[in-house]
Amino acid sequence: MNQSKIDMSKPVAVVGAGLVGAGWAIAFARAGLSVRVYDANARVASEAIPWAGEQLSALYRHGLIAEPPENVKARLVIAHSLEEAIEGAAYVQESVLERVEIKRKLMTDIDAVSDANIIIGSSSSGIQASMFANDLSISPRVLIAHPVNPPYLVPVVELVPSTQTSQETIQFADTFMQAIGQSVVHVRKEIEGFVLNRLQAALLREAWALQRDGIATCEDIDKTVRDGLGWRWSFMGPFETIDLNAPGGVADYANRLGPLYHSIARSRVDDGPWDTELIGRVEQDRRQHLSAADLGRRREWRDERLMEFAVERSKAGPR
Amino acid sequence: MNQSKIDMSKPVAVVGAGLVGAGWAIAFARAGLSVRVYDANARVASEAIPWAGEQLSALYRHGLIAEPPENVKARLVIAHSLEEAIEGAAYVQESVLERVEIKRKLMTDIDAVSDANIIIGSSSSGIQASMFANDLSISPRVLIAHPVNPPYLVPVVELVPSTQTSQETIQFADTFMQAIGQSVVHVRKEIEGFVLNRLQAALLREAWALQRDGIATCEDIDKTVRDGLGWRWSFMGPFETIDLNAPGGVADYANRLGPLYHSIARSRVDDGPWDTELIGRVEQDRRQHLSAADLGRRREWRDERLMEFAVERSKAGPR
């Protein structure tokens, strides 16, 4: 397969049409692709289309798509069987439930009906592809393509091969994802949590420990990030940040601050799981700032802010 | 001291006029305060003023200050001695070199010349106040006020009491910092790295380990943050992010993902310091994306982006 030749006239399939799958459908349709939307539960697939229409209208309102939303929505078509979804498709994005036996069953089903060229990306956020996609004829053509929700707003996608994924499949997915406007991260070896959730886990581990030990409240820890650390991380990563934060660059920074960071790391070697009592305390702390009844309204606020962020990002100059 | 009565007509003093001190001077002057700028090295103080003038012009160009920059700059006055700097001042921001004996010497000097009301904030980014500010008559009035650089753009400030800091001093610093527009984080017990650098350390620890183990390149790890995790963290913190990321809020999220995060945490219990070989590899990886000769130019790009971010933040609706 030649990575420079992605045939954008071929349809793609979304299998599993919950929040993640429907989000992918929007990202694909926005890029001009015809999208077959399939879910084993027909009601889920049929609800995905009007929901996608609402999101497309919001994107249009924010100037994030130029085409009238109904035109984009018209490229989303419900498929009534797995076979109908993937027949002639160039790519399948799998977004079924995060359970290894469900993903394995789907891979076996796809294996039974797909042709020899289709590439399959899995939205798995933690389960490694080798645990459900190996030893089938499609195995070389399956990899993880893990998005952040929603993928039509937050561009990053982690590509993670299984032990049997071919180099051509990685190249295809890289080219395809870039063609639809995603930002591709290559995770070169399978590892629990991949890169994104491992980085998030590391920060959360420290955040929860600080709250547990009475060092700071949830709200003060949140402020530290949203009014401090998060500013740079919103347009540079952690390595570029420290590379620019010492006169001689990253090595200079590491020589100066490495001992402090190692000392901090040594203070977190075995702090155990988040137990019920700690979860209860964090819950109570958060509820002082946001009542459970307001979670839904606040999610709408978050989604609006993400759209505003996407607008600013699209206006920003070259990196 | 009544926290509702901060006398903004009283001058403040900046002691130590390097990058951090000069940055504070801008934040204070922008808020309308008269600022005495003192450095034991007279040349450093005299260079700080024109540098501040340039930054003020940039702030004005971006619409981040309404007043003509020369008016703000006119509130910065060089003091020729420590005594002259702090005479009659309401607040001193200490930003001398990050070495415990230098900070201790300064506290002893301030103790010798200050009156009984002055409050002293230290920009220390890691050394705890109890290590240099205790057992003096000023001790109840000293605390850490740790900024992110530059404090006139990134609003967070960590307030950390020593074991001898009074409650009134914490209240004064809280009110004062909010009055000049900073976002106050209370670190309730002294801990190495406070909150901000501990969170950064946790993320960097994982980032460096992923690079070391060949899981991902520096650039791909950076992308994961700047095109993914960093979007939410730029306007929410980690706790609000997960609170909104499960139907039932933070406890629901913790019950679902806690085991994965604990498993990830267990995989990083003793990964040692960043050694010379690893630092060399990370340096080489970064230099493929940014040559050492371009570090300065890239820092200017970063500062422009931070200003653009501050503009967007100032336009964003209520939280």
Side-chain angles (χ1 to χ4, degrees), chain B residues 35-257:
Chain B
V35 185
R36 283 100 169 252
V37 178
Y38 173 71
D39 198 290
N41 182 337
R43 204 168 61 95
V44 171
S46 68
E47 287 176 354
I49 309 288
W51 178 85
E54 287 168 30
Q55 304 310 308
L56 287 164
S57 296
L59 291 171
Y60 188 74
R61 258 197 326 273
H62 282 86
L64 288 164
I65 54 174
E67 225 181 338
E70 55 274 24
N71 295 16
V72 183
K73 188 182 165 195
R75 290 196 284 272
L76 304 175
V77 180
I78 291 181
H80 299 91
S81 68
L82 181 63
E83 197 162 3
E84 189 186 322
I86 68 179
E87 162 74 32
Y91 179 77
V92 180
Q93 183 75 37
E94 169 284 299
S95 308
V96 299
L97 215 58
E98 186 84 359
R99 272 167 50 192
V100 69
E101 70 280 10
I102 293 177
K103 292 199 185 281
R104 176 66 186 181
K105 169 75 165 59
L106 176 64
M107 290 301 147
T108 312
D109 291 349
I110 293 176
D111 200 46
V113 296
S114 76
D115 71 28
N117 284 316
I118 201 162
I119 304 284
I120 301 129
S122 166
S123 299
S124 167
S125 64
I127 307 176
Q128 300 160 26
S130 297
M131 293 172 71
F132 60 82
N134 279 10
D135 304 322
L136 300 169
S137 66
I138 56 169
S139 298
R141 289 176 277 115
V142 181
L143 83 175
I144 303 291
H146 172 232
V148 165
N149 233 358
Y152 54 86
L153 282 179
V154 187
V156 76
V157 58
E158 294 183 280
L159 298 183
V160 197
S162 76
T163 54
Q164 299 181 352
T165 305
S166 73
Q167 204 53 45
E168 289 72 25
T169 296
I170 300 172
Q171 280 188 1
F172 175 93
D174 178 271
T175 309
F176 175 74
M177 286 295 173
Q178 290 198 53
I180 68 159
Q182 304 305 111
S183 172
V184 174
V185 164
H186 289 281
V187 183
R188 288 163 202 281
K189 296 179 202 169
E190 291 190 309
I191 187 171
E192 190 172 28
F194 313 139
V195 168
L196 188 139
N197 277 326
R198 290 189 74 88
L199 293 173
Q200 176 161 239
L203 190 96
L204 283 173
R205 176 190 191 181
E206 184 62 31
W208 280 71
L210 291 169
Q211 204 280 355
R212 178 195 65 205
D213 298 343
I215 306 292
T217 63
C218 290
E219 177 65 7
D220 277 347
I221 291 166
D222 275 355
K223 272 189 197 171
T224 307
V225 174
R226 73 173 186 247
D227 295 334
L229 287 168
W231 284 44
R232 286 178 174 78
W233 288 344
S234 73
F235 64 90
M236 302 186 290
F239 282 108
E240 182 162 24
T241 296
I242 63 174
D243 200 19
L244 300 180
N245 241 356
V250 66
D252 185 17
Y253 184 95
N255 287 321
R256 288 168 193 240
L257 286 159

Side-chain angles (χ1 to χ4, degrees), chain A residues 12-243:
Chain A
V12 296
V14 161
V15 175
L19 205 61
V20 176
W24 273 120
I26 292 171
F28 297 147
R30 176 182 58 183
L33 293 159
S34 295
V35 185
R36 283 100 169 252
V37 178
Y38 174 70
D39 197 290
N41 182 337
R43 203 169 62 95
V44 171
S46 69
E47 288 176 353
I49 309 288
W51 178 85
E54 287 167 31
Q55 304 309 308
L56 286 163
S57 296
L59 291 171
Y60 188 74
R61 257 196 328 272
H62 282 86
L64 288 163
I65 53 173
E67 224 181 339
E70 55 273 24
N71 294 16
V72 182
K73 188 183 165 195
R75 289 196 285 271
L76 304 175
V77 180
I78 290 181
H80 299 91
S81 69
L82 181 64
E83 197 163 3
E84 189 186 320
I86 68 179
E87 162 75 34
Y91 179 77
V92 179
Q93 183 74 37
E94 170 280 299
S95 307
V96 299
L97 214 58
E98 187 83 358
R99 272 168 50 192
V100 68
E101 71 279 11
I102 292 178
K103 291 199 184 284
R104 177 65 186 182
K105 169 75 164 58
L106 177 64
M107 290 300 147
T108 312
D109 291 348
I110 294 177
D111 200 47
V113 296
S114 76
D115 71 26
N117 284 315
I118 201 161
I119 304 283
I120 300 128
S122 165
S123 299
S124 167
S125 63
I127 308 174
Q128 300 160 28
S130 296
M131 293 172 71
F132 60 82
N134 278 9
D135 304 322
L136 300 168
S137 68
I138 57 169
S139 298
R141 290 176 278 114
V142 181
L143 84 174
I144 303 290
H146 172 231
V148 165
N149 232 1
Y152 55 86
L153 282 178
V154 188
V156 76
V157 58
E158 295 182 279
L159 298 182
V160 196
S162 76
T163 54
Q164 298 182 353
T165 305
S166 74
Q167 204 52 47
E168 289 72 23
T169 296
I170 300 172
Q171 280 188 0
F172 174 93
D174 177 272
T175 309
F176 174 74
M177 286 294 173
Q178 291 198 53
I180 67 159
Q182 303 305 110
S183 173
V184 174
V185 164
H186 289 280
V187 183
R188 288 165 202 280
K189 295 178 201 168
E190 291 188 311
I191 187 170
E192 188 172 28
F194 312 139
V195 168
L196 188 138
N197 277 325
R198 290 189 73 87
L199 293 173
Q200 176 161 240
L203 191 96
L204 284 174
R205 175 192 191 180
E206 183 63 30
W208 279 71
L210 290 169
Q211 205 280 354
R212 179 194 64 205
D213 299 344
I215 306 293
T217 62
C218 291
E219 177 65 6
D220 277 347
I221 292 166
D222 275 355
K223 273 189 196 171
T224 308
V225 174
R226 73 172 187 248
D227 295 333
L229 287 168
W231 284 43
R232 287 179 173 76
W233 288 344
S234 73
F235 64 90
M236 303 188 289
F239 282 109
E240 183 162 25
T241 295
I242 64 173
D243 200 17

